[in-house]
Amino acid sequence: MKPLELVLVVDDSKVIRSRMKNILERNGYDVILREDGEAGVLAALEYGPDLIIMDLNMPRMDGFTASSMLKRYPQTRNMPIAVFTDENETQRKVDFFGIGVEDFILKDADEAEVTARVGGLLRWKKNRDNLAQENNKLGNIIDILSDLVIIFDTAGKLVFYNRAAGHRFRLIPELIQEKTILEILPAAGKVRDLCRYIDTREEIHDQEVEIDHGETGVRHYMADINRIYIGLSEDVGGAFILRDITGEKEAQRLKTEFYSMMAHEMRTPISVVLGYTQLILDGRAGEISALQQEFLRGVEEKGKVLIKLVNDFLEVSRLENKFIRLDPSVFDISILVTETVSGIRLLAENKNISLTCGCRGVPILLRADRDKLEHVMINLVENAIKYTEENGTVTVRCGVEDGGAVIEIEDTGIGMSGEELKFIFDRFTRAGNAEKKKIKGTGLGLAIVKEIVDAHKGRIDVESQDGKGSVFRLWIPGVVERPDAPAGIVREVEIPVPDMRE
Ligand code: ADP
């Protein structure tokens, strides 16, 4: 059977004590009686009643002193107290409310009023206890999360942190109210940059940060800062959440290392196969028939595709390992572009694509990494040819803008849809048209291009129309000033494609 709710009545009048005992017991409560404040406090500590009804004036310890003690002790602080008062004791009531007393009962209140007040206070206590229990449950759930959760108020002061956060940042519970979130996070690096969002009250999501925890080492996290609102608009602070991705990063690094090793191992044998193929094609191993020549050209073509694939993998793993180191020199980018384009002209010729390049004869001196930009140009021009159907046009232009070199590669090819353009520089991303037309690729080339452009602090944009063509626009800073440097995009010049059959 459920135990009855327990009410402690503290009053020095025997008449009142026995009247209250009768009323409360009749209405289904257990009752304890005490005749002064001191005995009342002791009984509250011993029995933990659900409600205390307290007289005002009593010998040894009055009701005010006893109530303030009860509201101070953690063990008794949550027991509701109702004080016996007379009609006109307003100031007294204010004082009692000030120390946390919940309600008042008139000494001469009839049975109905006494039970209504007692019932109301006990209901209120039950609701509050339930709420506290729910809060506790929620707190426990947040506590066992492996993510680090730190809740702060509008002034940035710590309000709550879970076990994982306490452990990583070595937080001491007693000091929680003394610290602000800015004090516990490292004073430098990306995490400090994120902290300004705490001041500006902005939200951030999925920002990668690295935090040095001293003896326990450096860890990598995905950080979120969310604001916490009460109702629709009252901002009461925020939650700083860190998801530890150190393990994932390590796995990624190992994977990349594996790719890189595989690619290295594959490159040499493929190069040897290509070398021997070339030797046989050159007639160094004796006469070969036209059919043998045709077959060997097939071997050579596929071998080149394989080498490109392997090189792409190597480039990606180098970039992932942050091996991207620029080796800048001053060179004429218009010559680089022209030479790259003419090196690829055969590809265009095979598809009867008209390839024009508007860079020759206009020197644009640029301080940048020549080899890496050559890689960028080869990728973009090869793509333009690859994704343009027979008899189309590919146009390359160069110029100078805002202290940087601008290169445009425009084609009349298959194009891409607007939505796809947002993701086209992500690794392994291929557009629908390329898949539909069964044009082979890995989706790595543009990711590499973007990394190289970013390393130069440049920009690359693309405009495209589904089925009509695309324009890739590259801007690389670092033009070495010259009085005769041309502004804007320059004219187009047709590069004559030599007839290989001659
Ligand atoms: P790959 O060509 O090996 O698939 P890339 O990273 O070079 O990889 O290109 C990614 C995707 O972007 C391609 O698969 C293709 O769908 C699209 N793309 C790139 N360049 C063009 C272009 N000039 N015209 C149309 N689509 C293009």
Side-chain angles (χ1 to χ4, degrees), residues 308-309 312 379-380 382-388 409 411 413-416 420 424-435 439-449 462 464 469-472:
K308 172 156 185 342
L309 201 69
D312 276 357
N379 254 294
L380 293 175
E382 275 188 2
N383 269 356
I385 297 168
K386 185 159 100 177
Y387 296 109
T388 297
I409 301 102
D411 63 57
I414 58 174
M416 291 165 270
E420 289 173 325
I424 209 66
F425 294 100
D426 294 349
R427 278 174 206 164
F428 304 109
T429 304
R430 309 204 67 225
N433 283 350
E435 298 283 337
I439 304 174
K440 292 210 166 50
T442 57
L444 282 173
L446 287 184
I448 297 169
V449 163
V462 52
S464 189
S470 314
V471 187
F472 283 81

mmCIF file of all heavy atoms in Angstrom, residues 308-309 312 379-380 382-388 409 411 413-416 420 424-435 439-449 462 464 469-472, ligand 1:
data_model
loop_
_atom_site.group_PDB
_atom_site.id
_atom_site.type_symbol
_atom_site.label_atom_id
_atom_site.label_comp_id
_atom_site.label_asym_id
_atom_site.label_seq_id
_atom_site.Cartn_x
_atom_site.Cartn_y
_atom_site.Cartn_z
ATOM 1 N N LYS A 308 46.767 8.173 -65.420
ATOM 2 C CA LYS A 308 46.104 9.412 -64.974
ATOM 3 C C LYS A 308 45.359 9.148 -63.659
ATOM 4 O O LYS A 308 45.403 9.927 -62.719
ATOM 5 C CB LYS A 308 45.147 9.918 -66.049
ATOM 6 C CG LYS A 308 44.312 11.081 -65.562
ATOM 7 C CD LYS A 308 43.795 11.966 -66.636
ATOM 8 C CE LYS A 308 43.071 13.198 -66.140
ATOM 9 N NZ LYS A 308 42.600 13.244 -64.815
ATOM 10 N N LEU A 309 44.696 7.981 -63.632
ATOM 11 C CA LEU A 309 43.935 7.610 -62.439
ATOM 12 C C LEU A 309 44.859 7.514 -61.227
ATOM 13 O O LEU A 309 44.597 8.071 -60.159
ATOM 14 C CB LEU A 309 43.292 6.253 -62.709
ATOM 15 C CG LEU A 309 42.105 5.888 -61.867
ATOM 16 C CD1 LEU A 309 40.943 6.773 -62.250
ATOM 17 C CD2 LEU A 309 41.736 4.424 -62.108
ATOM 18 N N ASP A 312 46.012 10.871 -60.144
ATOM 19 C CA ASP A 312 44.954 11.576 -59.413
ATOM 20 C C ASP A 312 44.903 11.107 -57.965
ATOM 21 O O ASP A 312 44.833 11.905 -57.043
ATOM 22 C CB ASP A 312 43.584 11.331 -60.062
ATOM 23 C CG ASP A 312 43.342 12.298 -61.211
ATOM 24 O OD1 ASP A 312 44.214 13.163 -61.437
ATOM 25 O OD2 ASP A 312 42.295 12.182 -61.882
ATOM 26 N N ASN A 379 43.722 19.558 -66.463
ATOM 27 C CA ASN A 379 42.456 19.005 -65.993
ATOM 28 C C ASN A 379 41.256 19.718 -66.599
ATOM 29 O O ASN A 379 40.314 19.085 -67.081
ATOM 30 C CB ASN A 379 42.372 19.147 -64.470
ATOM 31 C CG ASN A 379 42.565 17.819 -63.798
ATOM 32 O OD1 ASN A 379 41.742 16.932 -63.950
ATOM 33 N ND2 ASN A 379 43.667 17.678 -63.083
ATOM 34 N N LEU A 380 41.303 21.063 -66.585
ATOM 35 C CA LEU A 380 40.134 21.821 -67.039
ATOM 36 C C LEU A 380 39.945 21.707 -68.551
ATOM 37 O O LEU A 380 38.816 21.553 -69.035
ATOM 38 C CB LEU A 380 40.252 23.293 -66.613
ATOM 39 C CG LEU A 380 40.190 23.535 -65.099
ATOM 40 C CD1 LEU A 380 40.428 25.006 -64.779
ATOM 41 C CD2 LEU A 380 38.858 23.079 -64.516
ATOM 42 N N GLU A 382 41.161 19.303 -70.540
ATOM 43 C CA GLU A 382 40.806 17.908 -70.882
ATOM 44 C C GLU A 382 39.325 17.654 -70.592
ATOM 45 O O GLU A 382 38.632 17.002 -71.366
ATOM 46 C CB GLU A 382 41.665 16.933 -70.071
ATOM 47 C CG GLU A 382 43.003 16.661 -70.734
ATOM 48 C CD GLU A 382 43.796 15.552 -70.047
ATOM 49 O OE1 GLU A 382 43.290 14.947 -69.064
ATOM 50 O OE2 GLU A 382 44.922 15.319 -70.483
ATOM 51 N N ASN A 383 38.855 18.173 -69.457
ATOM 52 C CA ASN A 383 37.434 18.022 -69.132
ATOM 53 C C ASN A 383 36.556 18.663 -70.199
ATOM 54 O O ASN A 383 35.554 18.093 -70.624
ATOM 55 C CB ASN A 383 37.121 18.693 -67.794
ATOM 56 C CG ASN A 383 37.274 17.725 -66.631
ATOM 57 O OD1 ASN A 383 37.530 16.554 -66.831
ATOM 58 N ND2 ASN A 383 37.110 18.230 -65.421
ATOM 59 N N ALA A 384 36.936 19.903 -70.583
ATOM 60 C CA ALA A 384 36.134 20.625 -71.577
ATOM 61 C C ALA A 384 36.000 19.791 -72.850
ATOM 62 O O ALA A 384 34.919 19.697 -73.448
ATOM 63 C CB ALA A 384 36.766 21.980 -71.883
ATOM 64 N N ILE A 385 37.117 19.154 -73.247
ATOM 65 C CA ILE A 385 37.076 18.333 -74.477
ATOM 66 C C ILE A 385 36.279 17.051 -74.227
ATOM 67 O O ILE A 385 35.426 16.649 -75.022
ATOM 68 C CB ILE A 385 38.511 18.015 -74.955
ATOM 69 C CG1 ILE A 385 39.231 19.324 -75.315
ATOM 70 C CG2 ILE A 385 38.499 17.054 -76.133
ATOM 71 C CD1 ILE A 385 40.719 19.189 -75.534
ATOM 72 N N LYS A 386 36.537 16.440 -73.048
ATOM 73 C CA LYS A 386 35.884 15.168 -72.724
ATOM 74 C C LYS A 386 34.363 15.315 -72.680
ATOM 75 O O LYS A 386 33.636 14.448 -73.129
ATOM 76 C CB LYS A 386 36.427 14.706 -71.361
ATOM 77 C CG LYS A 386 35.949 13.353 -70.908
ATOM 78 C CD LYS A 386 36.909 12.789 -69.860
ATOM 79 C CE LYS A 386 36.376 12.969 -68.465
ATOM 80 N NZ LYS A 386 37.213 12.381 -67.430
ATOM 81 N N TYR A 387 33.898 16.449 -72.105
ATOM 82 C CA TYR A 387 32.461 16.613 -71.922
ATOM 83 C C TYR A 387 31.807 17.433 -73.049
ATOM 84 O O TYR A 387 30.730 17.997 -72.868
ATOM 85 C CB TYR A 387 32.166 17.210 -70.540
ATOM 86 C CG TYR A 387 32.595 16.254 -69.451
ATOM 87 C CD1 TYR A 387 33.697 16.516 -68.639
ATOM 88 C CD2 TYR A 387 31.921 15.051 -69.263
ATOM 89 C CE1 TYR A 387 34.103 15.613 -67.665
ATOM 90 C CE2 TYR A 387 32.329 14.144 -68.292
ATOM 91 C CZ TYR A 387 33.416 14.431 -67.499
ATOM 92 O OH TYR A 387 33.812 13.519 -66.555
ATOM 93 N N THR A 388 32.536 17.547 -74.198
ATOM 94 C CA THR A 388 31.943 18.209 -75.368
ATOM 95 C C THR A 388 31.811 17.172 -76.473
ATOM 96 O O THR A 388 32.752 16.398 -76.713
ATOM 97 C CB THR A 388 32.833 19.391 -75.827
ATOM 98 O OG1 THR A 388 32.863 20.333 -74.760
ATOM 99 C CG2 THR A 388 32.284 20.073 -77.069
ATOM 100 N N ILE A 409 37.770 28.822 -69.450
ATOM 101 C CA ILE A 409 37.706 27.665 -70.354
ATOM 102 C C ILE A 409 36.226 27.456 -70.640
ATOM 103 O O ILE A 409 35.463 27.091 -69.745
ATOM 104 C CB ILE A 409 38.323 26.398 -69.710
ATOM 105 C CG1 ILE A 409 39.785 26.650 -69.355
ATOM 106 C CG2 ILE A 409 38.217 25.188 -70.633
ATOM 107 C CD1 ILE A 409 40.064 26.915 -67.952
ATOM 108 N N ASP A 411 33.151 25.773 -73.048
ATOM 109 C CA ASP A 411 32.884 24.725 -74.030
ATOM 110 C C ASP A 411 31.411 24.736 -74.417
ATOM 111 O O ASP A 411 30.585 25.372 -73.763
ATOM 112 C CB ASP A 411 33.298 23.347 -73.490
ATOM 113 C CG ASP A 411 32.516 22.930 -72.263
ATOM 114 O OD1 ASP A 411 31.280 22.870 -72.333
ATOM 115 O OD2 ASP A 411 33.137 22.661 -71.212
ATOM 116 N N GLY A 413 29.668 21.974 -74.529
ATOM 117 C CA GLY A 413 29.430 20.561 -74.243
ATOM 118 C C GLY A 413 28.097 20.248 -73.574
ATOM 119 O O GLY A 413 27.133 21.013 -73.661
ATOM 120 N N ILE A 414 28.118 19.135 -72.832
ATOM 121 C CA ILE A 414 26.871 18.595 -72.275
ATOM 122 C C ILE A 414 26.350 19.410 -71.085
ATOM 123 O O ILE A 414 25.188 19.308 -70.728
ATOM 124 C CB ILE A 414 27.042 17.114 -71.857
ATOM 125 C CG1 ILE A 414 28.182 16.985 -70.824
ATOM 126 C CG2 ILE A 414 27.319 16.242 -73.053
ATOM 127 C CD1 ILE A 414 28.334 15.590 -70.243
ATOM 128 N N GLY A 415 27.229 20.204 -70.452
ATOM 129 C CA GLY A 415 26.797 21.074 -69.355
ATOM 130 C C GLY A 415 26.360 20.303 -68.114
ATOM 131 O O GLY A 415 26.414 19.067 -68.057
ATOM 132 N N MET A 416 25.926 21.093 -67.114
ATOM 133 C CA MET A 416 25.461 20.494 -65.845
ATOM 134 C C MET A 416 24.253 21.286 -65.378
ATOM 135 O O MET A 416 24.072 22.426 -65.780
ATOM 136 C CB MET A 416 26.552 20.615 -64.781
ATOM 137 C CG MET A 416 27.759 19.763 -65.028
ATOM 138 S SD MET A 416 29.137 20.279 -63.999
ATOM 139 C CE MET A 416 29.952 21.468 -65.010
ATOM 140 N N GLU A 420 23.761 20.865 -59.366
ATOM 141 C CA GLU A 420 24.986 20.060 -59.326
ATOM 142 C C GLU A 420 26.237 20.926 -59.168
ATOM 143 O O GLU A 420 27.238 20.487 -58.620
ATOM 144 C CB GLU A 420 25.104 19.245 -60.615
ATOM 145 C CG GLU A 420 24.099 18.123 -60.693
ATOM 146 C CD GLU A 420 24.111 17.435 -62.039
ATOM 147 O OE1 GLU A 420 24.333 18.130 -63.073
ATOM 148 O OE2 GLU A 420 23.896 16.229 -62.070
ATOM 149 N N ILE A 424 30.222 20.219 -57.406
ATOM 150 C CA ILE A 424 31.049 19.629 -58.445
ATOM 151 C C ILE A 424 32.534 19.583 -58.072
ATOM 152 O O ILE A 424 33.295 18.797 -58.601
ATOM 153 C CB ILE A 424 30.788 20.350 -59.802
ATOM 154 C CG1 ILE A 424 31.038 19.394 -60.921
ATOM 155 C CG2 ILE A 424 31.579 21.613 -59.956
ATOM 156 C CD1 ILE A 424 30.083 18.272 -60.966
ATOM 157 N N PHE A 425 32.934 20.441 -57.094
ATOM 158 C CA PHE A 425 34.340 20.425 -56.676
ATOM 159 C C PHE A 425 34.582 19.477 -55.502
ATOM 160 O O PHE A 425 35.681 19.406 -54.983
ATOM 161 C CB PHE A 425 34.803 21.849 -56.314
ATOM 162 C CG PHE A 425 34.809 22.768 -57.505
ATOM 163 C CD1 PHE A 425 33.773 23.669 -57.719
ATOM 164 C CD2 PHE A 425 35.837 22.706 -58.421
ATOM 165 C CE1 PHE A 425 33.764 24.499 -58.823
ATOM 166 C CE2 PHE A 425 35.849 23.530 -59.533
ATOM 167 C CZ PHE A 425 34.808 24.427 -59.733
ATOM 168 N N ASP A 426 33.532 18.756 -55.070
ATOM 169 C CA ASP A 426 33.720 17.766 -53.998
ATOM 170 C C ASP A 426 34.299 16.487 -54.594
ATOM 171 O O ASP A 426 34.021 16.156 -55.745
ATOM 172 C CB ASP A 426 32.377 17.410 -53.324
ATOM 173 C CG ASP A 426 31.799 18.596 -52.580
ATOM 174 O OD1 ASP A 426 32.536 19.591 -52.431
ATOM 175 O OD2 ASP A 426 30.636 18.515 -52.175
ATOM 176 N N ARG A 427 35.071 15.783 -53.765
ATOM 177 C CA ARG A 427 35.674 14.535 -54.260
ATOM 178 C C ARG A 427 34.638 13.507 -54.672
ATOM 179 O O ARG A 427 33.589 13.405 -54.043
ATOM 180 C CB ARG A 427 36.511 13.920 -53.150
ATOM 181 C CG ARG A 427 37.841 14.566 -53.089
ATOM 182 C CD ARG A 427 38.591 14.068 -51.933
ATOM 183 N NE ARG A 427 39.510 15.141 -51.607
ATOM 184 C CZ ARG A 427 40.154 15.254 -50.491
ATOM 185 N NH1 ARG A 427 39.977 14.379 -49.566
ATOM 186 N NH2 ARG A 427 40.961 16.251 -50.304
ATOM 187 N N PHE A 428 34.953 12.771 -55.691
ATOM 188 C CA PHE A 428 34.132 11.664 -56.193
ATOM 189 C C PHE A 428 32.729 12.110 -56.622
ATOM 190 O O PHE A 428 31.805 11.315 -56.643
ATOM 191 C CB PHE A 428 34.014 10.536 -55.151
ATOM 192 C CG PHE A 428 35.346 10.003 -54.705
ATOM 193 C CD1 PHE A 428 35.831 10.261 -53.436
ATOM 194 C CD2 PHE A 428 36.125 9.253 -55.571
ATOM 195 C CE1 PHE A 428 37.071 9.783 -53.036
ATOM 196 C CE2 PHE A 428 37.371 8.771 -55.178
ATOM 197 C CZ PHE A 428 37.841 9.036 -53.907
ATOM 198 N N THR A 429 32.572 13.406 -56.930
ATOM 199 C CA THR A 429 31.259 13.874 -57.374
ATOM 200 C C THR A 429 31.251 13.978 -58.891
ATOM 201 O O THR A 429 32.139 14.595 -59.484
ATOM 202 C CB THR A 429 30.951 15.265 -56.769
ATOM 203 O OG1 THR A 429 31.049 15.145 -55.371
ATOM 204 C CG2 THR A 429 29.567 15.731 -57.149
ATOM 205 N N ARG A 430 30.236 13.375 -59.494
ATOM 206 C CA ARG A 430 30.102 13.434 -60.942
ATOM 207 C C ARG A 430 28.696 13.932 -61.271
ATOM 208 O O ARG A 430 27.743 13.628 -60.562
ATOM 209 C CB ARG A 430 30.327 12.054 -61.570
ATOM 210 C CG ARG A 430 31.617 11.393 -61.109
ATOM 211 C CD ARG A 430 32.112 10.364 -62.106
ATOM 212 N NE ARG A 430 32.528 10.975 -63.354
ATOM 213 C CZ ARG A 430 32.200 10.509 -64.560
ATOM 214 N NH1 ARG A 430 31.428 9.443 -64.655
ATOM 215 N NH2 ARG A 430 32.597 11.115 -65.645
ATOM 216 N N ALA A 431 28.587 14.710 -62.346
ATOM 217 C CA ALA A 431 27.276 15.267 -62.693
ATOM 218 C C ALA A 431 26.452 14.222 -63.458
ATOM 219 O O ALA A 431 27.006 13.299 -64.056
ATOM 220 C CB ALA A 431 27.469 16.523 -63.529
ATOM 221 N N GLY A 432 25.135 14.414 -63.421
ATOM 222 C CA GLY A 432 24.219 13.456 -64.035
ATOM 223 C C GLY A 432 24.461 13.254 -65.520
ATOM 224 O O GLY A 432 24.435 12.118 -66.018
ATOM 225 N N ASN A 433 24.748 14.357 -66.235
ATOM 226 C CA ASN A 433 24.929 14.247 -67.693
ATOM 227 C C ASN A 433 26.095 13.341 -68.059
ATOM 228 O O ASN A 433 26.007 12.560 -69.019
ATOM 229 C CB ASN A 433 25.180 15.633 -68.302
ATOM 230 C CG ASN A 433 23.885 16.406 -68.399
ATOM 231 O OD1 ASN A 433 22.817 15.843 -68.183
ATOM 232 N ND2 ASN A 433 23.986 17.692 -68.705
ATOM 233 N N ALA A 434 27.197 13.443 -67.270
ATOM 234 C CA ALA A 434 28.373 12.627 -67.556
ATOM 235 C C ALA A 434 28.028 11.151 -67.392
ATOM 236 O O ALA A 434 28.442 10.306 -68.187
ATOM 237 C CB ALA A 434 29.515 13.013 -66.622
ATOM 238 N N GLU A 435 27.249 10.856 -66.356
ATOM 239 C CA GLU A 435 26.852 9.467 -66.100
ATOM 240 C C GLU A 435 25.920 8.982 -67.214
ATOM 241 O O GLU A 435 26.058 7.881 -67.721
ATOM 242 C CB GLU A 435 26.133 9.351 -64.741
ATOM 243 C CG GLU A 435 26.994 9.750 -63.548
ATOM 244 C CD GLU A 435 28.001 8.671 -63.156
ATOM 245 O OE1 GLU A 435 27.760 7.503 -63.490
ATOM 246 O OE2 GLU A 435 29.031 9.011 -62.544
ATOM 247 N N ILE A 439 30.262 8.818 -69.936
ATOM 248 C CA ILE A 439 31.631 9.312 -70.098
ATOM 249 C C ILE A 439 32.369 8.970 -68.815
ATOM 250 O O ILE A 439 31.929 9.335 -67.726
ATOM 251 C CB ILE A 439 31.649 10.841 -70.353
ATOM 252 C CG1 ILE A 439 30.788 11.169 -71.568
ATOM 253 C CG2 ILE A 439 33.077 11.340 -70.515
ATOM 254 C CD1 ILE A 439 30.595 12.629 -71.843
ATOM 255 N N LYS A 440 33.460 8.236 -68.950
ATOM 256 C CA LYS A 440 34.123 7.689 -67.755
ATOM 257 C C LYS A 440 34.897 8.757 -66.985
ATOM 258 O O LYS A 440 35.383 9.724 -67.553
ATOM 259 C CB LYS A 440 35.076 6.574 -68.163
ATOM 260 C CG LYS A 440 34.367 5.349 -68.684
ATOM 261 C CD LYS A 440 35.171 4.098 -68.387
ATOM 262 C CE LYS A 440 34.355 2.844 -68.570
ATOM 263 N NZ LYS A 440 33.630 2.768 -69.855
ATOM 264 N N GLY A 441 34.997 8.583 -65.681
ATOM 265 C CA GLY A 441 35.767 9.513 -64.850
ATOM 266 C C GLY A 441 35.692 9.094 -63.409
ATOM 267 O O GLY A 441 34.945 8.185 -63.046
ATOM 268 N N THR A 442 36.492 9.770 -62.562
ATOM 269 C CA THR A 442 36.535 9.407 -61.138
ATOM 270 C C THR A 442 35.911 10.479 -60.247
ATOM 271 O O THR A 442 35.657 10.236 -59.069
ATOM 272 C CB THR A 442 37.996 9.255 -60.673
ATOM 273 O OG1 THR A 442 38.674 10.488 -60.954
ATOM 274 C CG2 THR A 442 38.688 8.119 -61.359
ATOM 275 N N GLY A 443 35.720 11.671 -60.792
ATOM 276 C CA GLY A 443 35.217 12.765 -59.942
ATOM 277 C C GLY A 443 36.289 13.301 -59.014
ATOM 278 O O GLY A 443 35.989 13.916 -57.984
ATOM 279 N N LEU A 444 37.560 13.092 -59.379
ATOM 280 C CA LEU A 444 38.643 13.580 -58.514
ATOM 281 C C LEU A 444 39.326 14.831 -59.062
ATOM 282 O O LEU A 444 39.829 15.657 -58.312
ATOM 283 C CB LEU A 444 39.713 12.491 -58.365
ATOM 284 C CG LEU A 444 39.399 11.361 -57.394
ATOM 285 C CD1 LEU A 444 40.454 10.281 -57.483
ATOM 286 C CD2 LEU A 444 39.309 11.889 -55.985
ATOM 287 N N GLY A 445 39.311 14.954 -60.406
ATOM 288 C CA GLY A 445 40.074 16.031 -61.053
ATOM 289 C C GLY A 445 39.735 17.414 -60.511
ATOM 290 O O GLY A 445 40.626 18.176 -60.123
ATOM 291 N N LEU A 446 38.442 17.745 -60.450
ATOM 292 C CA LEU A 446 38.056 19.096 -60.022
ATOM 293 C C LEU A 446 38.351 19.321 -58.541
ATOM 294 O O LEU A 446 38.635 20.447 -58.126
ATOM 295 C CB LEU A 446 36.567 19.346 -60.296
ATOM 296 C CG LEU A 446 36.200 19.542 -61.778
ATOM 297 C CD1 LEU A 446 34.722 19.866 -61.921
ATOM 298 C CD2 LEU A 446 37.031 20.642 -62.421
ATOM 299 N N ALA A 447 38.296 18.235 -57.739
ATOM 300 C CA ALA A 447 38.615 18.383 -56.314
ATOM 301 C C ALA A 447 40.077 18.792 -56.168
ATOM 302 O O ALA A 447 40.423 19.672 -55.373
ATOM 303 C CB ALA A 447 38.349 17.080 -55.574
ATOM 304 N N ILE A 448 40.920 18.175 -56.992
ATOM 305 C CA ILE A 448 42.352 18.515 -56.945
ATOM 306 C C ILE A 448 42.557 19.953 -57.422
ATOM 307 O O ILE A 448 43.276 20.743 -56.813
ATOM 308 C CB ILE A 448 43.172 17.533 -57.817
ATOM 309 C CG1 ILE A 448 43.043 16.124 -57.234
ATOM 310 C CG2 ILE A 448 44.618 17.956 -57.910
ATOM 311 C CD1 ILE A 448 43.575 15.030 -58.146
ATOM 312 N N VAL A 449 41.876 20.288 -58.520
ATOM 313 C CA VAL A 449 41.967 21.656 -59.065
ATOM 314 C C VAL A 449 41.616 22.663 -57.963
ATOM 315 O O VAL A 449 42.332 23.632 -57.723
ATOM 316 C CB VAL A 449 40.996 21.808 -60.263
ATOM 317 C CG1 VAL A 449 40.737 23.272 -60.589
ATOM 318 C CG2 VAL A 449 41.558 21.072 -61.471
ATOM 319 N N VAL A 462 32.139 28.233 -61.743
ATOM 320 C CA VAL A 462 31.669 27.587 -62.970
ATOM 321 C C VAL A 462 30.232 28.035 -63.248
ATOM 322 O O VAL A 462 29.425 28.186 -62.333
ATOM 323 C CB VAL A 462 31.778 26.049 -62.864
ATOM 324 C CG1 VAL A 462 31.118 25.516 -61.643
ATOM 325 C CG2 VAL A 462 31.196 25.357 -64.094
ATOM 326 N N SER A 464 27.124 26.992 -65.974
ATOM 327 C CA SER A 464 26.847 25.923 -66.926
ATOM 328 C C SER A 464 25.369 25.887 -67.260
ATOM 329 O O SER A 464 24.524 26.248 -66.436
ATOM 330 C CB SER A 464 27.278 24.586 -66.312
ATOM 331 O OG SER A 464 27.212 23.576 -67.279
ATOM 332 N N GLY A 469 26.507 23.838 -72.493
ATOM 333 C CA GLY A 469 27.937 24.085 -72.319
ATOM 334 C C GLY A 469 28.269 24.681 -70.967
ATOM 335 O O GLY A 469 27.380 24.987 -70.174
ATOM 336 N N SER A 470 29.580 24.824 -70.724
ATOM 337 C CA SER A 470 30.035 25.297 -69.410
ATOM 338 C C SER A 470 31.169 26.299 -69.578
ATOM 339 O O SER A 470 31.892 26.273 -70.576
ATOM 340 C CB SER A 470 30.577 24.140 -68.579
ATOM 341 O OG SER A 470 29.721 23.036 -68.634
ATOM 342 N N VAL A 471 31.323 27.168 -68.564
ATOM 343 C CA VAL A 471 32.484 28.057 -68.515
ATOM 344 C C VAL A 471 33.111 27.916 -67.128
ATOM 345 O O VAL A 471 32.457 28.160 -66.106
ATOM 346 C CB VAL A 471 32.085 29.544 -68.692
ATOM 347 C CG1 VAL A 471 33.332 30.408 -68.819
ATOM 348 C CG2 VAL A 471 31.164 29.735 -69.865
ATOM 349 N N PHE A 472 34.359 27.488 -67.087
ATOM 350 C CA PHE A 472 35.116 27.469 -65.831
ATOM 351 C C PHE A 472 35.975 28.724 -65.817
ATOM 352 O O PHE A 472 36.663 29.016 -66.802
ATOM 353 C CB PHE A 472 35.990 26.215 -65.740
ATOM 354 C CG PHE A 472 35.205 24.986 -65.377
ATOM 355 C CD1 PHE A 472 34.482 24.290 -66.338
ATOM 356 C CD2 PHE A 472 35.170 24.521 -64.067
ATOM 357 C CE1 PHE A 472 33.750 23.159 -66.009
ATOM 358 C CE2 PHE A 472 34.444 23.395 -63.726
ATOM 359 C CZ PHE A 472 33.726 22.712 -64.697
HETATM 360 P P1 ADP B 1 35.935 13.218 -63.810
HETATM 361 O O1 ADP B 1 35.940 13.985 -65.076
HETATM 362 O O2 ADP B 1 37.076 12.254 -63.687
HETATM 363 O O3 ADP B 1 34.609 12.582 -63.525
HETATM 364 P P2 ADP B 1 36.259 15.796 -62.447
HETATM 365 O O4 ADP B 1 36.453 16.059 -61.010
HETATM 366 O O5 ADP B 1 37.266 16.339 -63.384
HETATM 367 O O6 ADP B 1 36.144 14.214 -62.574
HETATM 368 O O7 ADP B 1 34.839 16.345 -62.828
HETATM 369 C C1 ADP B 1 33.767 16.091 -61.985
HETATM 370 C C2 ADP B 1 32.481 16.070 -62.768
HETATM 371 O O8 ADP B 1 32.183 17.384 -63.214
HETATM 372 C C3 ADP B 1 32.515 15.235 -64.017
HETATM 373 O O9 ADP B 1 32.229 13.891 -63.731
HETATM 374 C C4 ADP B 1 31.439 15.886 -64.868
HETATM 375 O O10 ADP B 1 30.189 15.371 -64.498
HETATM 376 C C5 ADP B 1 31.506 17.347 -64.448
HETATM 377 N N1 ADP B 1 32.278 18.194 -65.384
HETATM 378 C C6 ADP B 1 33.539 18.609 -65.260
HETATM 379 N N2 ADP B 1 33.888 19.420 -66.263
HETATM 380 C C7 ADP B 1 32.811 19.508 -67.072
HETATM 381 C C8 ADP B 1 32.518 20.208 -68.298
HETATM 382 N N3 ADP B 1 33.420 20.966 -68.898
HETATM 383 N N4 ADP B 1 31.280 20.063 -68.826
HETATM 384 C C9 ADP B 1 30.344 19.297 -68.209
HETATM 385 N N5 ADP B 1 30.559 18.616 -67.073
HETATM 386 C C10 ADP B 1 31.765 18.724 -66.501
#
